Amino acid sequence: MLTITREIRDRIVAHARADHPDEACGVVAGPAGTGRPERFIPMLNAARSPTFYEFDSGDLFKLYREMDDLDEEPVIVYHSHTATEAYPSRTDVSYASEPFAHYVLVSTADGNGEDDPYQFRSFRIVDDEITEEDVQVVEAYPA
């Protein structure tokens, strides 16, 4: 199960809506070994496409060095789908290289306005196998 604060969930959704009609993408890092998504890191979709996302390799390299320096790991890797449901595509599965990460997808297919509905789903993707997991939204993590 993915446990995420309302604030981080809302920031992911806001990023997806802001980048619509292009796909948005980013990472939420957390302290290594905790599985707790804490630091929201929106990234630029280098593909600038409504049907495809790609992290800029230079930005991704910098991010991984920064996470290493801070003893963090990618807890969530997220992106949006602008015209389809929030479910990993074959391309998404081929990009899934973090076996311990939660892969979050937000669908903005029904629009991108503040009150428009959206889908927010989380998956584990290991060895090309997709497993959907429950998402628990909390106001804050337990101390």
Side-chain angles (χ1 to χ4, degrees):
M1 174 186 331
L2 169 63
T3 301
I4 186 171
T5 62
R6 183 174 312 283
E7 176 192 357
I8 291 175
R9 192 256 340 248
D10 291 350
R11 291 179 80 183
I12 291 170
V13 171
H15 183 203
R17 286 178 168 153
D19 281 12
H20 189 89
D22 289 340
E23 289 193 3
C25 58
V27 172
V28 182
T34 66
R36 182 178 283 190
E38 293 183 355
R39 188 166 65 98
F40 173 73
I41 309 154
M43 304 283 286
L44 174 69
N45 178 354
R48 297 187 186 257
S49 168
T51 59
F52 180 75
Y53 84 97
E54 181 177 36
F55 291 114
D56 177 90
S57 59
D59 290 346
L60 199 57
F61 179 74
K62 287 179 204 170
L63 172 61
Y64 272 78
R65 288 190 69 182
E66 183 179 272
M67 285 190 296
D68 191 47
D69 290 346
L70 297 171
D71 197 27
E72 292 178 327
E73 61 191 4
V75 178
I76 294 173
V77 177
Y78 74 87
H79 76 281
S80 62
H81 283 181
T82 62
T84 60
E85 71 173 318
Y87 190 84
S89 68
R90 285 190 301 274
T91 303
D92 297 340
V93 171
S94 72
Y95 280 2
S97 60
E98 293 290 342
F100 300 107
H102 302 270
Y103 286 89
V104 166
L105 281 101
V106 176
S107 175
T108 58
D110 295 324
N112 66 345
E114 189 71 25
D115 296 323
D116 287 336
Y118 62 89
Q119 292 177 3
F120 186 100
R121 297 167 72 184
S122 183
F123 304 87
R124 295 293 189 145
I125 304 174
V126 179
D127 295 328
D128 296 337
E129 185 175 321
I130 303 166
T131 306
E132 186 165 9
E133 61 185 348
D134 290 335
V135 176
Q136 178 185 26
V137 178
V138 296
E139 292 305 319
Y141 299 121

